[in-house]
């Protein structure tokens, strides 16, 4: 899609293929608070470029766990969480998957249908066998919740289940809190292991705590779960590859054993993680003023996406466009399943130079 877009000589063209936030002018955005943090790091003469420990920057890991699980999380208080710095969300998923392929008794992971295109490849190459559960309903452009419950209900006990924490990629369709609670009860009753992919915390609703609620429900019951975290979208650090993998265990001694095994996964994979991006994140998360500044910038991005959805919906209604377009405002995050077919997408590209994937 991007190659075709780049070749198009038209002065008015739009690329909707790439999963990255753009300004009104179509330019990438670097957050002010990120520039400020980088300036502080630059001015700190005591900083060096030595290798990090295998698990990364300790402060970054601690702050990342606190951000996703909440400051008062019982799991953190009881030292039942181990967090390791990884290469953004993808690297966190891969490290978690390799750990499970080596040490977990079930080698099957269930992923939603559809899901992010990279998920099946990451898990398969890590040594897990991938199956799908029903998720999206094309007729309502919403969720096939009944199908989801049936498929997870018939999964073998102990299977791993991939869950999108919020702003499901690529559909923008999320379970309600009541539905999350049903999913949690079903999964715990069958001892299914939750593996959360959290790529959009704070970026979906504009509220960091709200976007982490699904994860916190699973942590509150004292059970185990895996969480892959990314700062690509919510801090705009796409190319810095900043992420973390957290494993919530039942006991503190298990968490320390898990950490030592995670080191054995990471060491031959990328040895140790990069220093710059994680230093930016730690600088922002530990300073209350910078943290507040970040939440304001984050909310501005999320609110702009929400308001653009509303504007598009209103414009379609004002023109009396046939069909129901409410899915545009019901879905959340930077992705939407438009309900357009490939012929319609082709027409948009040919006539209006608007580029997007044909599905």
């Amino acid at each position: 899609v991007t190659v075709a877009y780049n070749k198009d000589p038209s002065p008015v063209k739009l690329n909707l293929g790439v999963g990255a936030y753009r300004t009104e002018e179509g330019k990438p955005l670097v957050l002010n608070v990120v520039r400020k943090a980088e300036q502080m790091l630059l001015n700190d003469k005591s900083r060096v470029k030595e290798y990090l420990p295998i698990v990364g920057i300790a402060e970054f890991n601690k702050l990342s766990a606190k951000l996703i699980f909440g400051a008062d999380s019982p799991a953190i208080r009881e030292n039942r969480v181990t967090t390791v710095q990884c290469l953004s969300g993808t690297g966190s998923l891969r490290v978690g998957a390799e750990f499970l392929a080596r040490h977990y008794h079930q080698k099957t992971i269930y992923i939603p249908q559809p899901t992010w295109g990279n998920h099946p490849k990451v898990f398969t190459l890590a040594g897990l066998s991938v199956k799908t559960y029903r998720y999206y309903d094309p007729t309502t452009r919403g969720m096939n919740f009944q199908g989801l419950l049936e498929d997870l209900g018939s999964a073998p006990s102990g299977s791993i289940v991939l869950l999108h924490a919020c702003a499901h990629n690529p559909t923008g369709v999320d379970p309600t809190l009541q539905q999350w609670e049903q999913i949690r009860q079903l999964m715990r009753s069958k001892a299914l292991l939750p593996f959360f992919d959290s790529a959009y915390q704070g970026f979906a609703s504009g509220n960091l705590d709200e976007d982490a609620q699904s994860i916190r429900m699973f942590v509150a019951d004292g059970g185990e779960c895996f969480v892959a975290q990314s700062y690509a979208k919510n801090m705009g650090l796409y190319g810095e590859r900043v992420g973390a993998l957290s494993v919530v265990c039942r006991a503190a001694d298990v968490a320390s054993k898990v950490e030592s095994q995670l080191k054995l996964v990471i060491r031959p994979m990328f040895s140790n993680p990069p220093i710059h991006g994680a230093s930016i994140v730690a600088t922002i998360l530990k300073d209350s003023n910078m943290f507040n500044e970040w939440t304001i910038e984050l909310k501005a991005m999320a609110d702009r996406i929400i308001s653009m959805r509303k504007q598009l919906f209103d414009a379609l209604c004002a023109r009396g466009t046939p069909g129901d377009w409410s899915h545009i405002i019901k879905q959340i995050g930077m992705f939407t399943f438009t309900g357009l077919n490939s012929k319609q997408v082709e027409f948009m590209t040919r006539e209006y130079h608007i580029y997007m994937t044909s599905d």
Side-chain angles (χ1 to χ4, degrees), residues 93 110-117 119-120 123 133 135 143 148 161-175 180 183 195-200 211 214-215 218 228 335:
L93 290 164
Y110 284 77
I111 63 176
Q113 179 64 35
T115 192
W116 181 44
H119 277 146
F123 295 123
Y133 61 88
Y135 189 86
M143 195 170 195
L148 177 147
V161 179
L162 180 82
L163 302 162
H164 293 232
C166 66
H168 182 274
N169 172 359
T171 67
V173 176
D174 284 356
W180 271 121
I183 294 168
F195 195 148
F196 281 97
D197 187 353
S198 174
Y200 303 101
D211 289 349
S214 57
I215 293 171
F218 277 80
F335 296 97

mmCIF file of all heavy atoms in Angstrom, residues 93 110-117 119-120 123 133 135 143 148 161-175 180 183 195-200 211 214-215 218 228 335:
data_model
loop_
_atom_site.group_PDB
_atom_site.id
_atom_site.type_symbol
_atom_site.label_atom_id
_atom_site.label_comp_id
_atom_site.label_asym_id
_atom_site.label_seq_id
_atom_site.Cartn_x
_atom_site.Cartn_y
_atom_site.Cartn_z
ATOM 1 N N LEU A 93 6.454 -9.824 22.930
ATOM 2 C CA LEU A 93 5.648 -11.000 22.574
ATOM 3 C C LEU A 93 6.552 -12.192 22.260
ATOM 4 O O LEU A 93 6.298 -13.318 22.700
ATOM 5 C CB LEU A 93 4.782 -10.699 21.343
ATOM 6 C CG LEU A 93 3.627 -9.714 21.537
ATOM 7 C CD1 LEU A 93 3.113 -9.225 20.185
ATOM 8 C CD2 LEU A 93 2.494 -10.360 22.335
ATOM 9 N N TYR A 110 -4.197 -19.481 21.362
ATOM 10 C CA TYR A 110 -5.387 -19.065 20.613
ATOM 11 C C TYR A 110 -5.329 -17.555 20.402
ATOM 12 O O TYR A 110 -5.164 -16.804 21.355
ATOM 13 C CB TYR A 110 -6.661 -19.435 21.383
ATOM 14 C CG TYR A 110 -6.979 -20.908 21.291
ATOM 15 C CD1 TYR A 110 -6.283 -21.847 22.056
ATOM 16 C CD2 TYR A 110 -7.952 -21.383 20.407
ATOM 17 C CE1 TYR A 110 -6.550 -23.198 21.952
ATOM 18 C CE2 TYR A 110 -8.230 -22.734 20.298
ATOM 19 C CZ TYR A 110 -7.526 -23.636 21.070
ATOM 20 O OH TYR A 110 -7.794 -24.985 20.964
ATOM 21 N N ILE A 111 -5.457 -17.132 19.139
ATOM 22 C CA ILE A 111 -5.418 -15.702 18.825
ATOM 23 C C ILE A 111 -6.748 -15.301 18.175
ATOM 24 O O ILE A 111 -7.410 -16.128 17.540
ATOM 25 C CB ILE A 111 -4.222 -15.358 17.908
ATOM 26 C CG1 ILE A 111 -4.341 -16.069 16.549
ATOM 27 C CG2 ILE A 111 -2.901 -15.712 18.574
ATOM 28 C CD1 ILE A 111 -3.248 -15.689 15.551
ATOM 29 N N PRO A 112 -7.170 -14.020 18.337
ATOM 30 C CA PRO A 112 -8.457 -13.633 17.766
ATOM 31 C C PRO A 112 -8.444 -13.641 16.236
ATOM 32 O O PRO A 112 -7.396 -13.467 15.620
ATOM 33 C CB PRO A 112 -8.683 -12.210 18.300
ATOM 34 C CG PRO A 112 -7.364 -11.737 18.785
ATOM 35 C CD PRO A 112 -6.534 -12.934 19.103
ATOM 36 N N GLN A 113 -9.612 -13.842 15.668
ATOM 37 C CA GLN A 113 -9.783 -13.837 14.217
ATOM 38 C C GLN A 113 -10.632 -12.612 13.850
ATOM 39 O O GLN A 113 -11.787 -12.579 14.177
ATOM 40 C CB GLN A 113 -10.497 -15.128 13.797
ATOM 41 C CG GLN A 113 -10.777 -15.281 12.311
ATOM 42 C CD GLN A 113 -9.513 -15.357 11.487
ATOM 43 O OE1 GLN A 113 -8.521 -15.923 11.934
ATOM 44 N NE2 GLN A 113 -9.521 -14.759 10.321
ATOM 45 N N PRO A 114 -10.093 -11.557 13.250
ATOM 46 C CA PRO A 114 -8.699 -11.383 12.835
ATOM 47 C C PRO A 114 -7.854 -10.796 13.963
ATOM 48 O O PRO A 114 -8.378 -10.434 15.000
ATOM 49 C CB PRO A 114 -8.852 -10.340 11.720
ATOM 50 C CG PRO A 114 -9.985 -9.474 12.184
ATOM 51 C CD PRO A 114 -10.928 -10.399 12.912
ATOM 52 N N THR A 115 -6.546 -10.724 13.710
ATOM 53 C CA THR A 115 -5.646 -10.075 14.663
ATOM 54 C C THR A 115 -4.545 -9.381 13.876
ATOM 55 O O THR A 115 -4.533 -9.431 12.638
ATOM 56 C CB THR A 115 -5.070 -11.087 15.662
ATOM 57 O OG1 THR A 115 -4.420 -10.396 16.731
ATOM 58 C CG2 THR A 115 -4.080 -12.052 15.011
ATOM 59 N N TRP A 116 -3.625 -8.740 14.575
ATOM 60 C CA TRP A 116 -2.483 -8.097 13.929
ATOM 61 C C TRP A 116 -1.727 -9.139 13.099
ATOM 62 O O TRP A 116 -1.452 -10.245 13.583
ATOM 63 C CB TRP A 116 -1.583 -7.510 15.025
ATOM 64 C CG TRP A 116 -0.377 -6.797 14.550
ATOM 65 C CD1 TRP A 116 -0.289 -5.904 13.524
ATOM 66 C CD2 TRP A 116 0.951 -6.906 15.098
ATOM 67 N NE1 TRP A 116 1.014 -5.441 13.401
ATOM 68 C CE2 TRP A 116 1.786 -6.037 14.350
ATOM 69 C CE3 TRP A 116 1.506 -7.643 16.150
ATOM 70 C CZ2 TRP A 116 3.139 -5.893 14.616
ATOM 71 C CZ3 TRP A 116 2.853 -7.495 16.414
ATOM 72 C CH2 TRP A 116 3.663 -6.633 15.659
ATOM 73 N N GLY A 117 -1.376 -8.767 11.871
ATOM 74 C CA GLY A 117 -0.766 -9.714 10.937
ATOM 75 C C GLY A 117 0.510 -10.388 11.413
ATOM 76 O O GLY A 117 0.854 -11.482 10.959
ATOM 77 N N HIS A 119 1.170 -11.344 14.588
ATOM 78 C CA HIS A 119 0.966 -12.269 15.713
ATOM 79 C C HIS A 119 1.202 -13.746 15.344
ATOM 80 O O HIS A 119 1.978 -14.428 16.020
ATOM 81 C CB HIS A 119 -0.446 -12.112 16.295
ATOM 82 C CG HIS A 119 -0.567 -10.977 17.270
ATOM 83 N ND1 HIS A 119 -1.713 -10.213 17.393
ATOM 84 C CD2 HIS A 119 0.303 -10.471 18.174
ATOM 85 C CE1 HIS A 119 -1.529 -9.287 18.322
ATOM 86 N NE2 HIS A 119 -0.308 -9.425 18.809
ATOM 87 N N PRO A 120 0.523 -14.258 14.291
ATOM 88 C CA PRO A 120 0.719 -15.687 13.984
ATOM 89 C C PRO A 120 2.180 -16.042 13.712
ATOM 90 O O PRO A 120 2.661 -17.083 14.147
ATOM 91 C CB PRO A 120 -0.139 -15.932 12.740
ATOM 92 C CG PRO A 120 -0.814 -14.665 12.407
ATOM 93 C CD PRO A 120 -0.448 -13.609 13.403
ATOM 94 N N PHE A 123 4.393 -16.083 17.056
ATOM 95 C CA PHE A 123 4.163 -17.249 17.924
ATOM 96 C C PHE A 123 4.604 -18.551 17.269
ATOM 97 O O PHE A 123 5.171 -19.421 17.927
ATOM 98 C CB PHE A 123 2.691 -17.316 18.332
ATOM 99 C CG PHE A 123 2.265 -16.152 19.192
ATOM 100 C CD1 PHE A 123 1.222 -15.320 18.819
ATOM 101 C CD2 PHE A 123 2.942 -15.858 20.370
ATOM 102 C CE1 PHE A 123 0.854 -14.230 19.601
ATOM 103 C CE2 PHE A 123 2.588 -14.779 21.164
ATOM 104 C CZ PHE A 123 1.536 -13.957 20.773
ATOM 105 N N TYR A 133 -9.664 -17.954 17.640
ATOM 106 C CA TYR A 133 -11.025 -17.931 18.188
ATOM 107 C C TYR A 133 -11.798 -16.812 17.508
ATOM 108 O O TYR A 133 -11.220 -15.803 17.098
ATOM 109 C CB TYR A 133 -11.018 -17.789 19.715
ATOM 110 C CG TYR A 133 -10.385 -16.540 20.291
ATOM 111 C CD1 TYR A 133 -11.113 -15.365 20.483
ATOM 112 C CD2 TYR A 133 -9.032 -16.534 20.684
ATOM 113 C CE1 TYR A 133 -10.535 -14.226 21.041
ATOM 114 C CE2 TYR A 133 -8.441 -15.391 21.233
ATOM 115 C CZ TYR A 133 -9.210 -14.247 21.409
ATOM 116 O OH TYR A 133 -8.635 -13.123 21.950
ATOM 117 N N TYR A 135 -13.901 -13.592 16.771
ATOM 118 C CA TYR A 135 -13.826 -12.302 17.455
ATOM 119 C C TYR A 135 -14.700 -11.242 16.777
ATOM 120 O O TYR A 135 -15.551 -10.644 17.401
ATOM 121 C CB TYR A 135 -12.367 -11.821 17.495
ATOM 122 C CG TYR A 135 -12.174 -10.597 18.373
ATOM 123 C CD1 TYR A 135 -11.958 -10.733 19.740
ATOM 124 C CD2 TYR A 135 -12.243 -9.302 17.840
ATOM 125 C CE1 TYR A 135 -11.818 -9.617 20.561
ATOM 126 C CE2 TYR A 135 -12.099 -8.196 18.651
ATOM 127 C CZ TYR A 135 -11.893 -8.351 20.012
ATOM 128 O OH TYR A 135 -11.767 -7.242 20.816
ATOM 129 N N MET A 143 -18.627 -7.171 17.649
ATOM 130 C CA MET A 143 -17.979 -8.350 18.195
ATOM 131 C C MET A 143 -18.858 -9.593 18.110
ATOM 132 O O MET A 143 -20.061 -9.536 18.350
ATOM 133 C CB MET A 143 -17.668 -8.059 19.658
ATOM 134 C CG MET A 143 -16.699 -9.018 20.215
ATOM 135 S SD MET A 143 -16.192 -8.421 21.814
ATOM 136 C CE MET A 143 -14.805 -9.461 21.993
ATOM 137 N N LEU A 148 -16.815 -16.138 20.473
ATOM 138 C CA LEU A 148 -15.614 -16.063 21.313
ATOM 139 C C LEU A 148 -15.754 -16.986 22.522
ATOM 140 O O LEU A 148 -14.859 -17.795 22.825
ATOM 141 C CB LEU A 148 -15.379 -14.617 21.754
ATOM 142 C CG LEU A 148 -14.210 -14.324 22.710
ATOM 143 C CD1 LEU A 148 -13.626 -12.943 22.419
ATOM 144 C CD2 LEU A 148 -14.607 -14.381 24.173
ATOM 145 N N VAL A 161 -4.034 -17.918 25.692
ATOM 146 C CA VAL A 161 -4.962 -17.108 24.898
ATOM 147 C C VAL A 161 -4.414 -15.693 24.757
ATOM 148 O O VAL A 161 -4.137 -15.029 25.754
ATOM 149 C CB VAL A 161 -6.366 -17.053 25.549
ATOM 150 C CG1 VAL A 161 -7.305 -16.172 24.719
ATOM 151 C CG2 VAL A 161 -6.950 -18.455 25.703
ATOM 152 N N LEU A 162 -4.235 -15.253 23.521
ATOM 153 C CA LEU A 162 -3.798 -13.882 23.277
ATOM 154 C C LEU A 162 -4.999 -12.946 23.343
ATOM 155 O O LEU A 162 -6.014 -13.176 22.693
ATOM 156 C CB LEU A 162 -3.149 -13.758 21.902
ATOM 157 C CG LEU A 162 -2.678 -12.320 21.617
ATOM 158 C CD1 LEU A 162 -1.326 -12.055 22.258
ATOM 159 C CD2 LEU A 162 -2.642 -12.019 20.135
ATOM 160 N N LEU A 163 -4.867 -11.886 24.144
ATOM 161 C CA LEU A 163 -5.925 -10.883 24.287
ATOM 162 C C LEU A 163 -5.350 -9.500 23.994
ATOM 163 O O LEU A 163 -4.250 -9.179 24.443
ATOM 164 C CB LEU A 163 -6.481 -10.912 25.717
ATOM 165 C CG LEU A 163 -7.063 -12.238 26.211
ATOM 166 C CD1 LEU A 163 -7.154 -12.255 27.732
ATOM 167 C CD2 LEU A 163 -8.433 -12.492 25.594
ATOM 168 N N HIS A 164 -6.088 -8.687 23.250
ATOM 169 C CA HIS A 164 -5.675 -7.297 23.034
ATOM 170 C C HIS A 164 -6.222 -6.495 24.214
ATOM 171 O O HIS A 164 -7.431 -6.474 24.440
ATOM 172 C CB HIS A 164 -6.275 -6.752 21.741
ATOM 173 C CG HIS A 164 -5.760 -7.402 20.486
ATOM 174 N ND1 HIS A 164 -5.261 -6.681 19.428
ATOM 175 C CD2 HIS A 164 -5.682 -8.703 20.110
ATOM 176 C CE1 HIS A 164 -4.903 -7.505 18.454
ATOM 177 N NE2 HIS A 164 -5.140 -8.743 18.851
ATOM 178 N N ALA A 165 -5.353 -5.816 24.952
ATOM 179 C CA ALA A 165 -5.787 -5.110 26.161
ATOM 180 C C ALA A 165 -6.837 -4.039 25.858
ATOM 181 O O ALA A 165 -7.797 -3.865 26.610
ATOM 182 C CB ALA A 165 -4.587 -4.482 26.862
ATOM 183 N N CYS A 166 -6.644 -3.306 24.755
ATOM 184 C CA CYS A 166 -7.615 -2.288 24.331
ATOM 185 C C CYS A 166 -7.290 -1.887 22.902
ATOM 186 O O CYS A 166 -6.204 -2.175 22.410
ATOM 187 C CB CYS A 166 -7.560 -1.058 25.237
ATOM 188 S SG CYS A 166 -5.995 -0.162 25.119
ATOM 189 N N ALA A 167 -8.239 -1.223 22.240
ATOM 190 C CA ALA A 167 -8.058 -0.749 20.852
ATOM 191 C C ALA A 167 -7.591 -1.885 19.947
ATOM 192 O O ALA A 167 -6.528 -1.838 19.352
ATOM 193 C CB ALA A 167 -7.075 0.424 20.798
ATOM 194 N N HIS A 168 -8.419 -2.926 19.864
ATOM 195 C CA HIS A 168 -8.080 -4.130 19.098
ATOM 196 C C HIS A 168 -7.589 -3.775 17.693
ATOM 197 O O HIS A 168 -8.206 -2.992 16.978
ATOM 198 C CB HIS A 168 -9.314 -5.037 18.999
ATOM 199 C CG HIS A 168 -9.066 -6.325 18.271
ATOM 200 N ND1 HIS A 168 -9.160 -6.438 16.899
ATOM 201 C CD2 HIS A 168 -8.708 -7.548 18.727
ATOM 202 C CE1 HIS A 168 -8.886 -7.678 16.547
ATOM 203 N NE2 HIS A 168 -8.607 -8.372 17.635
ATOM 204 N N ASN A 169 -6.453 -4.368 17.340
ATOM 205 C CA ASN A 169 -5.853 -4.171 16.020
ATOM 206 C C ASN A 169 -6.108 -5.437 15.195
ATOM 207 O O ASN A 169 -5.707 -6.512 15.638
ATOM 208 C CB ASN A 169 -4.344 -3.935 16.203
ATOM 209 C CG ASN A 169 -3.561 -3.896 14.912
ATOM 210 O OD1 ASN A 169 -4.105 -4.055 13.832
ATOM 211 N ND2 ASN A 169 -2.256 -3.694 15.022
ATOM 212 N N PRO A 170 -6.797 -5.408 14.056
ATOM 213 C CA PRO A 170 -7.124 -4.233 13.243
ATOM 214 C C PRO A 170 -8.586 -3.774 13.277
ATOM 215 O O PRO A 170 -8.957 -2.951 12.457
ATOM 216 C CB PRO A 170 -6.798 -4.754 11.844
ATOM 217 C CG PRO A 170 -7.249 -6.185 11.895
ATOM 218 C CD PRO A 170 -7.014 -6.648 13.310
ATOM 219 N N THR A 171 -9.413 -4.270 14.178
ATOM 220 C CA THR A 171 -10.852 -3.991 14.033
ATOM 221 C C THR A 171 -11.336 -2.779 14.819
ATOM 222 O O THR A 171 -12.378 -2.215 14.507
ATOM 223 C CB THR A 171 -11.700 -5.196 14.499
ATOM 224 O OG1 THR A 171 -11.536 -5.360 15.918
ATOM 225 C CG2 THR A 171 -11.294 -6.468 13.783
ATOM 226 N N GLY A 172 -10.616 -2.379 15.876
ATOM 227 C CA GLY A 172 -11.097 -1.300 16.723
ATOM 228 C C GLY A 172 -12.275 -1.706 17.598
ATOM 229 O O GLY A 172 -12.926 -0.868 18.218
ATOM 230 N N VAL A 173 -12.561 -3.008 17.641
ATOM 231 C CA VAL A 173 -13.697 -3.509 18.434
ATOM 232 C C VAL A 173 -13.183 -4.105 19.745
ATOM 233 O O VAL A 173 -12.352 -5.006 19.737
ATOM 234 C CB VAL A 173 -14.479 -4.595 17.647
ATOM 235 C CG1 VAL A 173 -15.586 -5.193 18.493
ATOM 236 C CG2 VAL A 173 -15.049 -4.014 16.359
ATOM 237 N N ASP A 174 -13.661 -3.583 20.866
ATOM 238 C CA ASP A 174 -13.242 -4.065 22.192
ATOM 239 C C ASP A 174 -14.426 -4.635 22.970
ATOM 240 O O ASP A 174 -15.552 -4.160 22.818
ATOM 241 C CB ASP A 174 -12.652 -2.916 23.027
ATOM 242 C CG ASP A 174 -11.240 -2.533 22.603
ATOM 243 O OD1 ASP A 174 -10.688 -3.197 21.713
ATOM 244 O OD2 ASP A 174 -10.701 -1.567 23.165
ATOM 245 N N PRO A 175 -14.159 -5.635 23.845
ATOM 246 C CA PRO A 175 -15.217 -6.100 24.748
ATOM 247 C C PRO A 175 -15.583 -4.991 25.746
ATOM 248 O O PRO A 175 -14.746 -4.139 26.063
ATOM 249 C CB PRO A 175 -14.576 -7.275 25.495
ATOM 250 C CG PRO A 175 -13.354 -7.650 24.709
ATOM 251 C CD PRO A 175 -12.907 -6.388 24.027
ATOM 252 N N TRP A 180 -15.562 -8.462 29.465
ATOM 253 C CA TRP A 180 -14.237 -8.824 29.973
ATOM 254 C C TRP A 180 -14.366 -9.715 31.202
ATOM 255 O O TRP A 180 -13.621 -10.694 31.362
ATOM 256 C CB TRP A 180 -13.430 -7.572 30.335
ATOM 257 C CG TRP A 180 -12.613 -6.993 29.212
ATOM 258 C CD1 TRP A 180 -12.707 -5.733 28.693
ATOM 259 C CD2 TRP A 180 -11.562 -7.651 28.476
ATOM 260 N NE1 TRP A 180 -11.790 -5.573 27.674
ATOM 261 C CE2 TRP A 180 -11.071 -6.726 27.521
ATOM 262 C CE3 TRP A 180 -10.995 -8.933 28.527
ATOM 263 C CZ2 TRP A 180 -10.035 -7.029 26.629
ATOM 264 C CZ3 TRP A 180 -9.961 -9.248 27.642
ATOM 265 C CH2 TRP A 180 -9.503 -8.305 26.713
ATOM 266 N N ILE A 183 -15.228 -13.145 30.144
ATOM 267 C CA ILE A 183 -14.035 -13.781 29.555
ATOM 268 C C ILE A 183 -13.106 -14.253 30.682
ATOM 269 O O ILE A 183 -12.592 -15.372 30.658
ATOM 270 C CB ILE A 183 -13.299 -12.803 28.605
ATOM 271 C CG1 ILE A 183 -14.160 -12.483 27.382
ATOM 272 C CG2 ILE A 183 -11.950 -13.378 28.168
ATOM 273 C CD1 ILE A 183 -13.650 -11.318 26.528
ATOM 274 N N PHE A 195 -2.424 -14.006 27.767
ATOM 275 C CA PHE A 195 -1.239 -13.303 27.291
ATOM 276 C C PHE A 195 -1.745 -12.011 26.646
ATOM 277 O O PHE A 195 -2.285 -12.018 25.547
ATOM 278 C CB PHE A 195 -0.486 -14.164 26.265
ATOM 279 C CG PHE A 195 0.938 -13.701 25.978
ATOM 280 C CD1 PHE A 195 1.934 -14.627 25.645
ATOM 281 C CD2 PHE A 195 1.292 -12.357 26.030
ATOM 282 C CE1 PHE A 195 3.239 -14.213 25.374
ATOM 283 C CE2 PHE A 195 2.594 -11.929 25.770
ATOM 284 C CZ PHE A 195 3.567 -12.856 25.439
ATOM 285 N N PHE A 196 -1.605 -10.888 27.359
ATOM 286 C CA PHE A 196 -2.115 -9.609 26.878
ATOM 287 C C PHE A 196 -1.099 -8.914 25.991
ATOM 288 O O PHE A 196 0.081 -8.847 26.331
ATOM 289 C CB PHE A 196 -2.427 -8.676 28.053
ATOM 290 C CG PHE A 196 -3.733 -8.980 28.737
ATOM 291 C CD1 PHE A 196 -3.765 -9.758 29.882
ATOM 292 C CD2 PHE A 196 -4.927 -8.463 28.234
ATOM 293 C CE1 PHE A 196 -4.970 -10.026 30.520
ATOM 294 C CE2 PHE A 196 -6.130 -8.723 28.864
ATOM 295 C CZ PHE A 196 -6.155 -9.509 30.015
ATOM 296 N N ASP A 197 -1.591 -8.367 24.882
ATOM 297 C CA ASP A 197 -0.787 -7.470 24.070
ATOM 298 C C ASP A 197 -1.326 -6.063 24.311
ATOM 299 O O ASP A 197 -2.451 -5.754 23.929
ATOM 300 C CB ASP A 197 -0.904 -7.840 22.582
ATOM 301 C CG ASP A 197 0.065 -7.039 21.716
ATOM 302 O OD1 ASP A 197 0.724 -6.121 22.244
ATOM 303 O OD2 ASP A 197 0.161 -7.337 20.507
ATOM 304 N N SER A 198 -0.539 -5.233 24.992
ATOM 305 C CA SER A 198 -0.974 -3.873 25.306
ATOM 306 C C SER A 198 -0.150 -2.874 24.500
ATOM 307 O O SER A 198 0.899 -2.424 24.936
ATOM 308 C CB SER A 198 -0.821 -3.600 26.808
ATOM 309 O OG SER A 198 -1.114 -2.253 27.089
ATOM 310 N N ALA A 199 -0.650 -2.547 23.317
ATOM 311 C CA ALA A 199 0.090 -1.649 22.423
ATOM 312 C C ALA A 199 -0.416 -0.216 22.508
ATOM 313 O O ALA A 199 0.202 0.688 21.953
ATOM 314 C CB ALA A 199 -0.018 -2.154 20.988
ATOM 315 N N TYR A 200 -1.551 -0.009 23.187
ATOM 316 C CA TYR A 200 -2.221 1.299 23.088
ATOM 317 C C TYR A 200 -2.672 1.865 24.424
ATOM 318 O O TYR A 200 -3.659 2.590 24.478
ATOM 319 C CB TYR A 200 -3.448 1.183 22.179
ATOM 320 C CG TYR A 200 -3.111 0.677 20.804
ATOM 321 C CD1 TYR A 200 -3.330 -0.653 20.454
ATOM 322 C CD2 TYR A 200 -2.539 1.516 19.861
ATOM 323 C CE1 TYR A 200 -2.991 -1.125 19.196
ATOM 324 C CE2 TYR A 200 -2.194 1.057 18.606
ATOM 325 C CZ TYR A 200 -2.431 -0.263 18.270
ATOM 326 O OH TYR A 200 -2.079 -0.725 17.031
ATOM 327 N N ASP A 211 -7.600 2.230 30.048
ATOM 328 C CA ASP A 211 -7.134 1.312 29.007
ATOM 329 C C ASP A 211 -6.424 0.076 29.570
ATOM 330 O O ASP A 211 -6.118 -0.861 28.832
ATOM 331 C CB ASP A 211 -6.207 2.047 28.033
ATOM 332 C CG ASP A 211 -6.974 3.039 27.158
ATOM 333 O OD1 ASP A 211 -8.217 2.996 27.180
ATOM 334 O OD2 ASP A 211 -6.327 3.852 26.472
ATOM 335 N N SER A 214 -8.790 -4.080 31.657
ATOM 336 C CA SER A 214 -8.937 -5.506 31.337
ATOM 337 C C SER A 214 -7.829 -6.317 32.008
ATOM 338 O O SER A 214 -8.073 -7.357 32.622
ATOM 339 C CB SER A 214 -8.908 -5.721 29.827
ATOM 340 O OG SER A 214 -7.705 -5.205 29.280
ATOM 341 N N ILE A 215 -6.602 -5.813 31.929
ATOM 342 C CA ILE A 215 -5.451 -6.508 32.513
ATOM 343 C C ILE A 215 -5.581 -6.566 34.034
ATOM 344 O O ILE A 215 -5.368 -7.609 34.651
ATOM 345 C CB ILE A 215 -4.137 -5.795 32.103
ATOM 346 C CG1 ILE A 215 -3.907 -5.953 30.594
ATOM 347 C CG2 ILE A 215 -2.939 -6.339 32.893
ATOM 348 C CD1 ILE A 215 -2.766 -5.120 30.047
ATOM 349 N N PHE A 218 -7.710 -9.250 35.551
ATOM 350 C CA PHE A 218 -7.084 -10.581 35.586
ATOM 351 C C PHE A 218 -6.021 -10.671 36.684
ATOM 352 O O PHE A 218 -5.762 -11.736 37.212
ATOM 353 C CB PHE A 218 -6.458 -10.911 34.232
ATOM 354 C CG PHE A 218 -7.420 -11.448 33.210
ATOM 355 C CD1 PHE A 218 -8.247 -10.597 32.490
ATOM 356 C CD2 PHE A 218 -7.513 -12.813 32.965
ATOM 357 C CE1 PHE A 218 -9.138 -11.088 31.540
ATOM 358 C CE2 PHE A 218 -8.401 -13.318 32.023
ATOM 359 C CZ PHE A 218 -9.216 -12.452 31.310
ATOM 360 N N ALA A 228 2.574 -7.993 27.341
ATOM 361 C CA ALA A 228 3.566 -7.335 26.476
ATOM 362 C C ALA A 228 3.154 -5.878 26.333
ATOM 363 O O ALA A 228 2.020 -5.586 25.978
ATOM 364 C CB ALA A 228 3.600 -8.018 25.114
ATOM 365 N N PHE A 335 -7.454 2.145 14.498
ATOM 366 C CA PHE A 335 -7.902 1.271 13.411
ATOM 367 C C PHE A 335 -9.413 1.225 13.354
ATOM 368 O O PHE A 335 -10.093 1.294 14.379
ATOM 369 C CB PHE A 335 -7.381 -0.153 13.597
ATOM 370 C CG PHE A 335 -5.883 -0.236 13.529
ATOM 371 C CD1 PHE A 335 -5.129 -0.243 14.688
ATOM 372 C CD2 PHE A 335 -5.229 -0.281 12.311
ATOM 373 C CE1 PHE A 335 -3.747 -0.293 14.632
ATOM 374 C CE2 PHE A 335 -3.848 -0.330 12.248
ATOM 375 C CZ PHE A 335 -3.111 -0.342 13.413
#
